[in-house]
């Protein structure tokens, strides 16, 4: 357990953000936290909300090759119009995806299959026999 986000960043190689936006989480990963992560070439993942992460500092640290990289699927601008943010998204040390990736057909099919598997498991039946009707058959 860590007493602060900064302490976590000093210890972790990868920090993944999974929280909702609020006054309390605004800029949760700011300059000092990101610099602590960059001190050992850490990696940041943000799949929650853009307001939680200081994207300007992420951009600066990645450009300076101090941060190991980032995986981002939320952006302070959508669509991206700022040159600096576009440059960040195109950086080879950044995995940039749209936040709606979970709405892709394959992701939805896997989610339904996983749900069916879990229901079968809870009911005590053979979960390896749980099936789902493919989307193409429902159209």
């Amino acid at each position: 357990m860590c007493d602060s986000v900064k302490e976590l960043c000093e210890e972790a190689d990868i920090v993944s953000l999974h929280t909702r936006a609020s006054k309390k989480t605004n800029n949760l990963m700011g300059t000092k936290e990101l610099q602590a992560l960059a001190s050992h070439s850490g990696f940041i993942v943000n799949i929650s909300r853009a307001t939680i992460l200081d994207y300007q500092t992420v951009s600066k640290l990645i450009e300076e090759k101090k941060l190991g990289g980032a995986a981002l699927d939320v952006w302070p601008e959508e669509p991206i119009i700022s040159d600096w943010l576009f440059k960040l998204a195109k950086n080879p040390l950044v995995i940039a995806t749209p936040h709606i990736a979970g709405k892709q057909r394959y992701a939805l099919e896997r989610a339904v299959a996983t749900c069916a598997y879990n229901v079968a498991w809870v009911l005590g039946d053979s979960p390896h026999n749980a099936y789902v009707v493919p989307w193409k058959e429902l159209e």
Side-chain angles (χ1 to χ4, degrees):
M1 296 297 289
C2 297
D3 292 327
S4 69
V5 176
K6 183 177 179 282
E7 182 184 342
L8 172 74
C9 292
E10 290 169 349
E11 299 294 326
D13 293 325
I14 300 170
V15 174
S16 185
L17 303 173
H18 305 267
T19 189
R20 59 185 168 165
S22 71
K23 289 178 183 178
K24 197 173 189 178
T25 62
N26 189 39
N27 209 30
L28 181 69
M29 286 291 292
T31 301
K32 66 182 177 185
E33 292 82 12
L34 288 164
Q35 285 174 337
L37 187 60
S39 69
H40 56 281
S41 298
F43 195 93
I44 185 72
V45 178
N46 188 11
I47 58 172
S48 54
R49 295 291 179 243
T51 58
I52 294 164
L53 179 62
D54 180 346
Y55 280 73
Q56 296 263 347
T57 300
V58 169
S59 181
K60 177 181 177 272
L61 292 172
I62 286 179
E63 190 67 31
E64 295 172 353
K65 301 209 182 323
K66 291 181 179 174
L67 199 58
L72 309 167
D73 84 336
V74 291
W75 303 91
E77 304 169 352
E78 293 186 26
I80 294 172
I81 56 174
S82 298
D83 290 339
W84 72 270
L85 197 53
F86 185 72
K87 187 176 179 183
L88 174 65
K90 291 192 58 120
N91 189 301
L93 297 176
V94 175
I95 299 169
T97 61
H99 194 60
I100 61 164
K103 294 187 180 184
Q104 300 300 314
R105 181 170 292 199
Y106 177 77
L108 289 170
E109 287 175 357
R110 293 297 303 150
V112 172
T114 300
C115 182
Y117 177 93
N118 288 335
V119 168
W121 181 76
V122 167
L123 294 176
D125 201 356
S126 298
H128 58 277
N129 292 330
Y131 295 97
V132 63
V133 177
W135 282 105
K136 62 183 176 204
E137 293 179 24
L138 297 175
E139 293 177 355

